[in-house]
Amino acid sequence: MKKIYLAVFCMLSFALPAAADMGTDFRDHFRAGALADYNRDVSMLLGQADFHTGKGTTFPGFDIGASVSAVKTSDDNFSDEKYLYVPFITAETQLPILGLGVAARGTQYNGFKSLGGGLKWHGSLALIHLSAAAFYDRSGTDYYDADHYSASASASVNVLFFTPYVGVGYDYSSLKVKDMGAASGQKSDDGTVRYTAGVNFHPLPLVYVYGAYTYTKYSQGFQGGVGLNF
């Protein structure tokens, strides 16, 4: 199974539009006054991955998936790219206590690395599935490091083979420039609220594909992927 999802991760990576190395792009176009916008866009890139299923697993369930997260660069982001793209591998299982689940996610793509994990809670109210999550991610390139924190909540319903969901979250990220001469040590600490709407489609038992749209005050993003939930 691990080989299957690594293969899917590679296929998603190759399917992404050609883009400049994120580290080189950061170094070549850096502007101190626009660092906050860049930081918020990267933070959103990570944060929207909180909703990769729309809900959590149930004990002793397990979820593993591969996805692509894309964010339209905000107006004052100095990046030379119109969109930032990152594929992710995600995994989640539930602990036999308090309905809590544990999740991990990571990527290494186009000069960008990230590894994170968090806790998720899953419950229900009548026919509505509810979930809440908190994540921490450590990410960066050769020219910056960032600490990302997020808190999210979502609600979903099952309608035949579909599970539409909506969610709200908050991302906070601290990004620090490194190995860039006089610019080294400059920082941006900022947070923003994001809103997400998406849908999971279950074409086969245990298998799902999904797509979602995310909006913040500064930008918008998209995510899509495939997973196995049992």
Side-chain angles (χ1 to χ4, degrees), residues 26 138-145 175-181 183-186:
F26 181 89
R138 177 67 172 178
S139 63
T141 70
D142 289 340
Y143 302 102
Y144 65 82
D145 290 318
L175 185 152
K176 186 175 183 179
V177 181
K178 64 177 185 179
D179 299 331
M180 284 185 50
S184 296
Q186 295 193 38

PDB file of all heavy atoms in Angstrom, residues 26 138-145 175-181 183-186:
ATOM      1  N   PHE A  26      12.038  32.414  -4.222  1.00  0.00           N
ATOM      2  CA  PHE A  26      12.077  33.269  -3.035  1.00  0.00           C
ATOM      3  C   PHE A  26      13.329  34.142  -3.038  1.00  0.00           C
ATOM      4  O   PHE A  26      13.265  35.353  -2.803  1.00  0.00           O
ATOM      5  CB  PHE A  26      12.040  32.392  -1.777  1.00  0.00           C
ATOM      6  CG  PHE A  26      12.043  33.154  -0.489  1.00  0.00           C
ATOM      7  CD1 PHE A  26      10.864  33.567   0.096  1.00  0.00           C
ATOM      8  CD2 PHE A  26      13.239  33.456   0.162  1.00  0.00           C
ATOM      9  CE1 PHE A  26      10.858  34.270   1.298  1.00  0.00           C
ATOM     10  CE2 PHE A  26      13.252  34.156   1.352  1.00  0.00           C
ATOM     11  CZ  PHE A  26      12.066  34.563   1.919  1.00  0.00           C
ATOM     12  N   ARG A 138       6.413  22.076  10.309  1.00  0.00           N
ATOM     13  CA  ARG A 138       7.719  22.728  10.148  1.00  0.00           C
ATOM     14  C   ARG A 138       8.065  22.656   8.671  1.00  0.00           C
ATOM     15  O   ARG A 138       8.120  21.564   8.087  1.00  0.00           O
ATOM     16  CB  ARG A 138       8.775  21.997  10.969  1.00  0.00           C
ATOM     17  CG  ARG A 138      10.197  22.555  10.830  1.00  0.00           C
ATOM     18  CD  ARG A 138      10.330  23.942  11.430  1.00  0.00           C
ATOM     19  NE  ARG A 138      11.747  24.369  11.454  1.00  0.00           N
ATOM     20  CZ  ARG A 138      12.160  25.543  11.882  1.00  0.00           C
ATOM     21  NH1 ARG A 138      11.281  26.419  12.343  1.00  0.00           N
ATOM     22  NH2 ARG A 138      13.436  25.849  11.868  1.00  0.00           N
ATOM     23  N   SER A 139       8.275  23.797   8.051  1.00  0.00           N
ATOM     24  CA  SER A 139       8.479  23.812   6.609  1.00  0.00           C
ATOM     25  C   SER A 139       9.575  24.800   6.241  1.00  0.00           C
ATOM     26  O   SER A 139      10.061  25.565   7.072  1.00  0.00           O
ATOM     27  CB  SER A 139       7.178  24.189   5.881  1.00  0.00           C
ATOM     28  OG  SER A 139       6.772  25.500   6.240  1.00  0.00           O
ATOM     29  N   GLY A 140       9.951  24.806   4.945  1.00  0.00           N
ATOM     30  CA  GLY A 140      10.928  25.775   4.489  1.00  0.00           C
ATOM     31  C   GLY A 140      11.612  25.382   3.201  1.00  0.00           C
ATOM     32  O   GLY A 140      11.305  24.354   2.583  1.00  0.00           O
ATOM     33  N   THR A 141      12.520  26.239   2.784  1.00  0.00           N
ATOM     34  CA  THR A 141      13.377  26.016   1.619  1.00  0.00           C
ATOM     35  C   THR A 141      14.820  26.280   2.062  1.00  0.00           C
ATOM     36  O   THR A 141      15.086  26.450   3.257  1.00  0.00           O
ATOM     37  CB  THR A 141      13.000  26.975   0.466  1.00  0.00           C
ATOM     38  OG1 THR A 141      13.381  28.316   0.839  1.00  0.00           O
ATOM     39  CG2 THR A 141      11.508  26.931   0.164  1.00  0.00           C
ATOM     40  N   ASP A 142      15.721  26.363   1.105  1.00  0.00           N
ATOM     41  CA  ASP A 142      17.110  26.689   1.447  1.00  0.00           C
ATOM     42  C   ASP A 142      17.249  28.109   1.979  1.00  0.00           C
ATOM     43  O   ASP A 142      18.292  28.450   2.558  1.00  0.00           O
ATOM     44  CB  ASP A 142      18.005  26.541   0.206  1.00  0.00           C
ATOM     45  CG  ASP A 142      18.195  25.091  -0.208  1.00  0.00           C
ATOM     46  OD1 ASP A 142      17.976  24.197   0.636  1.00  0.00           O
ATOM     47  OD2 ASP A 142      18.553  24.864  -1.393  1.00  0.00           O
ATOM     48  N   TYR A 143      16.209  28.944   1.808  1.00  0.00           N
ATOM     49  CA  TYR A 143      16.330  30.357   2.140  1.00  0.00           C
ATOM     50  C   TYR A 143      15.364  30.837   3.222  1.00  0.00           C
ATOM     51  O   TYR A 143      15.348  32.024   3.539  1.00  0.00           O
ATOM     52  CB  TYR A 143      16.171  31.198   0.876  1.00  0.00           C
ATOM     53  CG  TYR A 143      17.201  30.823  -0.162  1.00  0.00           C
ATOM     54  CD1 TYR A 143      16.863  30.012  -1.241  1.00  0.00           C
ATOM     55  CD2 TYR A 143      18.529  31.223  -0.034  1.00  0.00           C
ATOM     56  CE1 TYR A 143      17.819  29.632  -2.182  1.00  0.00           C
ATOM     57  CE2 TYR A 143      19.494  30.842  -0.957  1.00  0.00           C
ATOM     58  CZ  TYR A 143      19.129  30.044  -2.031  1.00  0.00           C
ATOM     59  OH  TYR A 143      20.077  29.666  -2.947  1.00  0.00           O
ATOM     60  N   TYR A 144      14.569  29.954   3.765  1.00  0.00           N
ATOM     61  CA  TYR A 144      13.748  30.325   4.921  1.00  0.00           C
ATOM     62  C   TYR A 144      13.260  29.072   5.641  1.00  0.00           C
ATOM     63  O   TYR A 144      13.190  27.986   5.072  1.00  0.00           O
ATOM     64  CB  TYR A 144      12.544  31.195   4.528  1.00  0.00           C
ATOM     65  CG  TYR A 144      11.515  30.536   3.641  1.00  0.00           C
ATOM     66  CD1 TYR A 144      10.526  29.703   4.173  1.00  0.00           C
ATOM     67  CD2 TYR A 144      11.509  30.770   2.274  1.00  0.00           C
ATOM     68  CE1 TYR A 144       9.571  29.119   3.350  1.00  0.00           C
ATOM     69  CE2 TYR A 144      10.557  30.183   1.456  1.00  0.00           C
ATOM     70  CZ  TYR A 144       9.595  29.362   1.991  1.00  0.00           C
ATOM     71  OH  TYR A 144       8.659  28.774   1.185  1.00  0.00           O
ATOM     72  N   ASP A 145      12.944  29.255   6.917  1.00  0.00           N
ATOM     73  CA  ASP A 145      12.281  28.240   7.732  1.00  0.00           C
ATOM     74  C   ASP A 145      10.991  28.841   8.261  1.00  0.00           C
ATOM     75  O   ASP A 145      10.914  30.051   8.517  1.00  0.00           O
ATOM     76  CB  ASP A 145      13.161  27.807   8.902  1.00  0.00           C
ATOM     77  CG  ASP A 145      14.367  26.992   8.458  1.00  0.00           C
ATOM     78  OD1 ASP A 145      14.199  26.129   7.569  1.00  0.00           O
ATOM     79  OD2 ASP A 145      15.471  27.224   8.995  1.00  0.00           O
ATOM     80  N   LEU A 175       7.735  32.949   9.803  1.00  0.00           N
ATOM     81  CA  LEU A 175       8.709  32.650   8.761  1.00  0.00           C
ATOM     82  C   LEU A 175       9.957  33.493   8.973  1.00  0.00           C
ATOM     83  O   LEU A 175       9.861  34.706   9.204  1.00  0.00           O
ATOM     84  CB  LEU A 175       8.094  32.917   7.385  1.00  0.00           C
ATOM     85  CG  LEU A 175       8.918  32.561   6.141  1.00  0.00           C
ATOM     86  CD1 LEU A 175       7.990  32.220   4.977  1.00  0.00           C
ATOM     87  CD2 LEU A 175       9.833  33.733   5.738  1.00  0.00           C
ATOM     88  N   LYS A 176      11.135  32.859   8.888  1.00  0.00           N
ATOM     89  CA  LYS A 176      12.395  33.559   9.094  1.00  0.00           C
ATOM     90  C   LYS A 176      13.341  33.319   7.931  1.00  0.00           C
ATOM     91  O   LYS A 176      13.590  32.176   7.537  1.00  0.00           O
ATOM     92  CB  LYS A 176      13.049  33.096  10.399  1.00  0.00           C
ATOM     93  CG  LYS A 176      14.313  33.876  10.762  1.00  0.00           C
ATOM     94  CD  LYS A 176      14.839  33.444  12.128  1.00  0.00           C
ATOM     95  CE  LYS A 176      16.059  34.257  12.532  1.00  0.00           C
ATOM     96  NZ  LYS A 176      16.561  33.850  13.874  1.00  0.00           N
ATOM     97  N   VAL A 177      13.877  34.405   7.369  1.00  0.00           N
ATOM     98  CA  VAL A 177      14.795  34.343   6.239  1.00  0.00           C
ATOM     99  C   VAL A 177      16.168  33.869   6.724  1.00  0.00           C
ATOM    100  O   VAL A 177      16.631  34.252   7.802  1.00  0.00           O
ATOM    101  CB  VAL A 177      14.926  35.717   5.561  1.00  0.00           C
ATOM    102  CG1 VAL A 177      15.871  35.642   4.365  1.00  0.00           C
ATOM    103  CG2 VAL A 177      13.554  36.238   5.133  1.00  0.00           C
ATOM    104  N   LYS A 178      16.835  33.045   5.908  1.00  0.00           N
ATOM    105  CA  LYS A 178      18.183  32.572   6.249  1.00  0.00           C
ATOM    106  C   LYS A 178      19.044  32.508   4.988  1.00  0.00           C
ATOM    107  O   LYS A 178      18.535  32.435   3.864  1.00  0.00           O
ATOM    108  CB  LYS A 178      18.119  31.184   6.900  1.00  0.00           C
ATOM    109  CG  LYS A 178      17.588  30.091   5.978  1.00  0.00           C
ATOM    110  CD  LYS A 178      17.623  28.731   6.649  1.00  0.00           C
ATOM    111  CE  LYS A 178      17.210  27.617   5.671  1.00  0.00           C
ATOM    112  NZ  LYS A 178      17.264  26.282   6.288  1.00  0.00           N
ATOM    113  N   ASP A 179      20.348  32.548   5.190  1.00  0.00           N
ATOM    114  CA  ASP A 179      21.325  32.365   4.112  1.00  0.00           C
ATOM    115  C   ASP A 179      21.089  33.314   2.936  1.00  0.00           C
ATOM    116  O   ASP A 179      21.229  32.933   1.773  1.00  0.00           O
ATOM    117  CB  ASP A 179      21.323  30.909   3.617  1.00  0.00           C
ATOM    118  CG  ASP A 179      21.708  29.924   4.711  1.00  0.00           C
ATOM    119  OD1 ASP A 179      22.470  30.323   5.609  1.00  0.00           O
ATOM    120  OD2 ASP A 179      21.234  28.776   4.667  1.00  0.00           O
ATOM    121  N   MET A 180      20.730  34.556   3.230  1.00  0.00           N
ATOM    122  CA  MET A 180      20.503  35.546   2.180  1.00  0.00           C
ATOM    123  C   MET A 180      21.186  36.876   2.516  1.00  0.00           C
ATOM    124  O   MET A 180      20.620  37.950   2.300  1.00  0.00           O
ATOM    125  CB  MET A 180      19.004  35.751   1.932  1.00  0.00           C
ATOM    126  CG  MET A 180      18.383  34.613   1.141  1.00  0.00           C
ATOM    127  SD  MET A 180      16.644  34.892   0.708  1.00  0.00           S
ATOM    128  CE  MET A 180      16.666  36.517  -0.007  1.00  0.00           C
ATOM    129  N   GLY A 181      22.394  36.797   3.057  1.00  0.00           N
ATOM    130  CA  GLY A 181      23.158  38.002   3.316  1.00  0.00           C
ATOM    131  C   GLY A 181      22.462  38.963   4.252  1.00  0.00           C
ATOM    132  O   GLY A 181      22.018  38.584   5.340  1.00  0.00           O
ATOM    133  N   ALA A 183      19.604  40.216   4.199  1.00  0.00           N
ATOM    134  CA  ALA A 183      18.190  39.923   4.469  1.00  0.00           C
ATOM    135  C   ALA A 183      18.009  38.828   5.511  1.00  0.00           C
ATOM    136  O   ALA A 183      16.904  38.655   6.048  1.00  0.00           O
ATOM    137  CB  ALA A 183      17.485  39.511   3.179  1.00  0.00           C
ATOM    138  N   SER A 184      19.071  38.095   5.811  1.00  0.00           N
ATOM    139  CA  SER A 184      18.977  36.999   6.773  1.00  0.00           C
ATOM    140  C   SER A 184      18.495  37.511   8.133  1.00  0.00           C
ATOM    141  O   SER A 184      18.916  38.569   8.602  1.00  0.00           O
ATOM    142  CB  SER A 184      20.333  36.314   6.936  1.00  0.00           C
ATOM    143  OG  SER A 184      20.739  35.717   5.726  1.00  0.00           O
ATOM    144  N   GLY A 185      17.618  36.760   8.737  1.00  0.00           N
ATOM    145  CA  GLY A 185      17.091  37.131  10.044  1.00  0.00           C
ATOM    146  C   GLY A 185      15.786  37.887  10.004  1.00  0.00           C
ATOM    147  O   GLY A 185      15.113  38.018  11.040  1.00  0.00           O
ATOM    148  N   GLN A 186      15.389  38.401   8.828  1.00  0.00           N
ATOM    149  CA  GLN A 186      14.098  39.082   8.733  1.00  0.00           C
ATOM    150  C   GLN A 186      12.974  38.072   8.953  1.00  0.00           C
ATOM    151  O   GLN A 186      13.060  36.920   8.533  1.00  0.00           O
ATOM    152  CB  GLN A 186      13.946  39.770   7.380  1.00  0.00           C
ATOM    153  CG  GLN A 186      14.932  40.907   7.168  1.00  0.00           C
ATOM    154  CD  GLN A 186      14.566  41.772   5.975  1.00  0.00           C
ATOM    155  OE1 GLN A 186      13.402  42.034   5.710  1.00  0.00           O
ATOM    156  NE2 GLN A 186      15.576  42.226   5.237  1.00  0.00           N
TER     157      GLN A 186
END
